[in-house]
Amino acid sequence: MKYDVTVIGSGPGGYVAAIRCAQLGMKTAIIEKYNSLGGTCLNVGCIPSKALLDSSEHFYNAKNHFKEHGIELTNLKVNLRQMIKRKAEVVKQTVGGIDYLMKKNKIDVFHGLGSFIDKNTISVAGEKEAHKIETEKIIIATGSKAANLPFIKLDKKHIITSTEALELTKVPKHLIVIGGGVIGVELGSVYARLGAKVSVVEFLDNLIPTMDKTMGKELQKVLKKSGFDFYLKHKVTAVEAKGNNVKVTTENSKGESVELNGDYCLVSIGRKPNTEGLGLEHVGLVTNKQGQIEVDDHLKTSADNIYAIGDVVKGAMLAHKAEEEGVFVAETIAGQKPHINYLLIPGVVYTWPEVASVGYTEEQLKENETPYKIGSFPFKASGRARASMDTDGLIKVLAHKETDEILGVHMIGPRAADMIAEAVVAMEYRASAEDIARMSHAHPTFTEAFKEACLDATDNRALHI
Ligand code: FAD
Ligand code: NAI
């Protein structure tokens, strides 16, 4: 079999690259080592975690907020088995959608481990069949897997990664989370809402530390109200499972030992690129210190016909970043001149309230010595937020002190995940804070808070505070 392009890995990077290649007229193959397409994102990442976040939020609201809305329930209880079953259905439907898209675009799908024989030949070792694929170009999109600390033995029963956390059969009594990043606060939220006590051990002094510091601080305040405890500036030194108990030993900033005991420990300290079994050595490729495949500005590796995208290369480990890179490489191969503005790839944390961010953080502007001004608006001053009882959080707009150009937007609040799109569009068109401040925003909507934060950035002209 001979192809113009072969993609290794069917996550959001790989399957989108394959579709764009096919759209551009290339004969395309995709190789996936698992039986189901869609990669981490669809099978054990974005989609299942959001399904459980939605279900658990319904329960939390029914338990804690319905009464105030005038809705009374008796005998409210969690059926975790059903919750997990629904999540599995959502995954199945979403993955089925990718099968359909591959067929629609006439992309040949091979299931099995893809491994380089040479720079134009890949072997596919599947459960039932083996293939040798001849190909002009190759796109590596093999993604990432959970990282671990060398002294932690993941038994995958009580000491678990995000993958097992999406499949628990009972609600933990006490879930200890190592790492206060995105996975820690999202999956911690799922179980806190269902009644677990959740303790987060974080090495740094702030949650979700890659985001603007205000976001982590606000998120911590809100999560505290829903059953979270935080051990910031704590270093984990040992994790040990005995029967149903997991003992996590940590060291605080004073050098004192702090011991936590729970029934589950979720290790969520980041992810590492996946290159195992790829046979990179057969095409002269090596990985860097972080385990990533090195690429140039065109996402090309040191081998002329091989590209790499998504979690396996540098940059944010996000599905939409991988997708943009998939399109970018397909168009580059087709001779086009695409562009990705990495600064404007938004980041979202699907807690409630949601956190969403784009552009520079205040810390980065300080470090770059960029003159800036801040506009902000709290949701407690929003009529829409009061109507829905979602008054926690704020929107923070960072604009250039002299030109008024928006440089960064950071939101924690209701539906921030969707609202951030307006900030991305504004920044893509290099809008000033006043540009947004002068645009009509429907009333009552959460988006009015963005307009108000922009008004605040424009000479403190916010109207409703
Ligand atoms: P992946 O999705 O990891 O796909 C790589 C694929 O390659 C896998 O299917 C793998 O089996 C296959 N593969 C690997 N090696 C081989 C080989 N040798 N041969 C054949 N196949 C191979 N991101 C977001 O943007 N939003 C979210 O809400 C979000 N939530 C997440 C929640 C969780 C719990 C996790 C773990 C991640 C989440 N992410 C989220 C991150 C997101 O899943 C990744 O950034 C994204 O999946 C990366 O896409 P990718 O195509 O690079 O790799
Ligand atoms: P992360 O990088 O978001 O967070 C890891 C956290 O662990 C950091 O706060 C770090 O300081 C801390 N940490 C590291 N070593 C530690 C140690 N020894 N002790 C205590 N704390 C330690 O990684 P996470 O949460 O595992 O997620 C992995 C990736 O998946 C992220 O890069 C993220 O982009 C992606 N993801 C994205 C989601 C989204 O977009 N909503 C949801 C879930 C994951």
Side-chain angles (χ1 to χ4, degrees):
M1 275 158 286
K2 196 153 173 48
Y3 291 92
D4 295 324
V5 180
T6 300
V7 182
I8 311 178
S10 72
Y15 84 74
V16 167
I19 293 173
R20 190 72 187 116
C21 285
Q23 284 177 343
L24 290 163
M26 295 176 241
K27 188 168 163 50
T28 308
I30 190 163
I31 307 171
E32 171 53 55
K33 75 174 169 190
Y34 292 122
N35 289 331
S36 109
L37 301 179
T40 305
C41 177
L42 273 63
N43 292 281
V44 290
C46 328
I47 300 299
S49 59
K50 265 78 258 181
L52 290 183
L53 277 157
D54 279 332
S55 297
S56 58
E57 199 192 326
H58 285 313
F59 175 75
Y60 185 81
N61 284 335
K63 189 165 173 231
N64 298 288
H65 299 311
F66 274 19
K67 207 169 168 190
E68 213 173 327
H69 280 285
I71 304 165
E72 295 190 9
L73 288 169
T74 46
N75 295 330
L76 183 71
K77 62 177 190 212
V78 176
N79 180 344
L80 187 60
R81 192 183 290 265
Q82 169 57 25
M83 216 175 260
I84 302 277
K85 193 172 147 216
R86 189 195 78 91
K87 175 220 68 173
E89 269 309 309
V90 174
V91 169
K92 198 173 151 203
Q93 280 171 19
T94 315
V95 164
I98 308 301
D99 291 331
Y100 160 79
L101 290 172
M102 295 301 105
K103 281 197 193 95
K104 181 187 162 206
N105 288 284
K106 300 189 174 51
I107 295 161
D108 288 346
V109 177
F110 296 89
H111 287 283
L113 186 79
S115 192
F116 286 105
I117 295 174
D118 60 46
K119 74 186 195 48
N120 293 105
T121 324
I122 304 166
S123 73
V124 184
E127 273 170 24
K128 295 183 198 132
E129 46 192 321
H131 299 275
K132 205 188 254 186
I133 295 175
E134 300 286 318
T135 184
E136 197 69 37
K137 310 271 187 203
I138 296 161
I139 304 173
I140 303 173
T142 49
S144 64
K145 54 188 172 191
N148 192 15
L149 293 168
F151 55 86
I152 301 180
K153 190 172 174 302
L154 293 165
D155 63 14
K156 304 209 171 173
K157 289 193 176 79
H158 292 277
I159 306 175
I160 58 178
T161 68
S162 56
T163 301
E164 295 75 48
L166 296 166
E167 293 281 326
L168 293 188
T169 50
K170 61 175 188 183
V171 177
K173 287 190 183 72
H174 182 194
L175 172 66
I176 303 163
V177 177
I178 304 179
V182 198
I183 292 181
V185 295
E186 285 190 5
L187 293 179
S189 288
V190 167
Y191 291 106
R193 291 165 185 172
L194 300 182
K197 173 179 170 182
V198 177
S199 299
V200 177
V201 181
E202 166 59 51
F203 188 65
L204 299 175
D205 64 350
N206 208 17
L207 294 178
I208 47 168
T210 52
M211 285 189 156
D212 188 281
K213 252 192 161 167
T214 313
M215 298 297 110
K217 285 209 176 87
E218 287 295 315
L219 183 63
Q220 188 180 346
K221 272 195 244 162
V222 186
L223 293 183
K224 259 197 166 158
K225 293 194 256 177
S226 66
F228 272 83
D229 272 342
F230 295 101
Y231 296 83
L232 301 182
K233 291 206 265 179
H234 279 62
K235 185 174 137 192
V236 177
T237 52
V239 179
E240 196 188 337
K242 236 188 218 158
N244 289 334
N245 186 67
V246 186
K247 183 170 94 178
V248 176
T249 313
T250 69
E251 192 183 290
N252 68 15
S253 50
K254 293 180 202 141
E256 297 156 346
S257 176
V258 178
E259 195 182 297
L260 298 167
N261 285 282
D263 46 352
Y264 290 93
C265 170
L266 167 63
V267 181
S268 50
I269 54 159
R271 292 177 64 83
K272 58 176 188 195
N274 198 1
T275 52
E276 220 176 271
L278 247 185
L280 290 179
E281 63 282 6
H282 297 140
V283 285
L285 294 183
V286 285
T287 52
N288 65 18
K289 252 201 204 148
Q290 288 81 37
Q292 298 155 338
I293 297 176
E294 295 267 5
V295 285
D296 65 13
D297 289 347
H298 302 283
L299 299 170
K300 195 193 273 184
T301 68
S302 56
D304 211 37
N305 64 326
I306 305 176
Y307 296 78
I309 59 171
D311 281 11
V312 81
V313 302
K314 66 185 173 198
M317 286 181 158
L318 295 173
H320 43 291
K321 178 259 193 186
E323 290 188 28
E324 292 303 327
E325 292 186 336
V327 170
F328 178 95
V329 165
E331 293 180 351
T332 301
I333 292 173
Q336 298 183 4
K337 303 247 176 302
H339 175 70
I340 297 176
N341 187 350
Y342 283 97
L343 177 68
L344 298 191
I345 290 180
V348 173
V349 186
Y350 294 83
T351 44
W352 195 265
E354 293 171 335
V355 187
S357 184
V358 65
Y360 293 105
T361 63
E362 189 175 352
E363 292 73 36
Q364 285 169 331
L365 293 180
K366 273 190 188 139
E367 203 181 307
N368 301 342
E369 295 180 11
T370 307
Y372 67 94
K373 52 187 179 167
I374 304 178
S376 73
F377 190 78
F379 280 99
K380 64 174 186 284
S382 148
R384 182 70 189 89
R386 268 195 305 277
S388 67
M389 279 174 60
D390 288 307
T391 48
D392 286 322
L394 61 103
I395 297 187
K396 171 172 170 181
V397 171
L398 301 165
H400 195 282
K401 198 165 186 167
E402 282 121 36
T403 67
D404 197 36
E405 180 177 350
I406 300 176
L407 302 173
V409 178
H410 309 282
M411 316 177 159
I412 173 165
R415 301 198 200 148
D418 296 294
M419 284 199 290
I420 199 70
E422 184 185 359
V424 176
V425 174
M427 291 177 70
E428 207 49 92
Y429 286 94
R430 303 197 61 179
S432 65
E434 190 174 359
D435 286 333
I436 300 299
R438 289 190 178 277
M439 286 178 197
S440 172
H441 286 65
H443 176 74
T445 58
F446 298 119
T447 65
E448 288 169 295
F450 182 42
K451 176 182 168 122
E452 289 278 355
C454 287
L455 275 166
D456 188 41
T458 314
D459 305 324
N460 304 319
R461 278 171 42 201
L463 295 164
H464 290 87
I465 191 129

